[in-house]
Amino acid sequence: MVTLEGAWSAQSMQAMAANMRGLKQAAESGSFAISESGAQAYIKAIEDAQSSITELDAKLYLLTTETKLGASPDSKSMSRYNLESATGGTGTSGIIPAIDQLKTALEDAKIAMRKAVENYRAVDDAAANNYKSY
C-alpha cells in the first residue's frame, strides 16, 4: 500500500526534484563523477522510487474526484479545497503536479548517474594515461 506521508508532501517532492536537477547539471558540467558500482546503488534506489510512484499513479484518480460532503457552502468550499490541494490551485502547487515533477527529476537523476560514471571513467583513464607516461 502506498501512502502520502512525510517525504511525500508536495514541498518535499519539489525539493527532491530541485536537488536532482542540480545533480544532473553537476554531472553534465563534469563536476560530479561516481564509480559504476556506486552509481548502480543510486540507480537502484531511483528505480525503486519510480516503482513506488507507478503504484501511486494507479490511485491518483481518487484525488481528482470531487468529494461528496453535502450541499452547504462549507461543504462545497471544503470539497473545492481538497481538489485544489490535489491538482493545484490558489495557494497550493498540488500533489499531482509535484509527483509529475518528481517523475521527471527521477529520470534526470538516472541520466545524471550515467553521465557521472562517464565522468569517472574519463578521470580514471586520464590518470592512468598520466601514470603510464612517467
Side-chain angles (χ1 to χ4, degrees), residues 60 63-65 80-89 92-98:
L60 284 179
L63 296 177
T64 62
T65 305
R80 190 171 41 257
Y81 172 81
N82 290 342
L83 191 56
E84 287 179 357
S85 293
T87 60
T92 180
S93 58
I95 194 73
I96 293 172

Side-chain angles (χ1 to χ4, degrees), residues 13-14 17 21 53 56-57 60 86-87 94-108:
M13 282 188 271
Q14 289 170 332
R21 281 190 298 275
I53 290 173
L56 185 63
D57 275 344
L60 284 179
T87 60
I95 194 73
I96 293 172
I99 290 169
D100 290 339
Q101 289 174 0
L102 184 58
K103 287 179 196 175
T104 300
L106 286 168
E107 195 56 38
D108 286 348

Side-chain angles (χ1 to χ4, degrees), residues 35-109:
S35 69
E36 176 104 26
S37 60
Q40 287 307 317
Y42 282 108
I43 289 171
K44 180 174 179 345
I46 291 165
E47 289 172 346
D48 288 349
Q50 288 173 316
S51 177
S52 292
I53 290 173
T54 299
E55 291 176 34
L56 185 63
D57 275 344
K59 298 175 180 124
L60 284 179
Y61 75 92
L62 294 171
L63 296 177
T64 62
T65 305
E66 191 172 311
T67 51
K68 309 263 189 262
L69 299 175
S72 74
D74 286 344
S75 297
K76 289 180 181 181
S77 180
M78 181 56 88
S79 183
R80 190 171 41 257
Y81 172 81
N82 290 342
L83 191 56
E84 287 179 357
S85 293
T87 60
T90 307
T92 180
S93 58
I95 194 73
I96 293 172
I99 290 169
D100 290 339
Q101 289 174 0
L102 184 58
K103 287 179 196 175
T104 300
L106 286 168
E107 195 56 38
D108 286 348

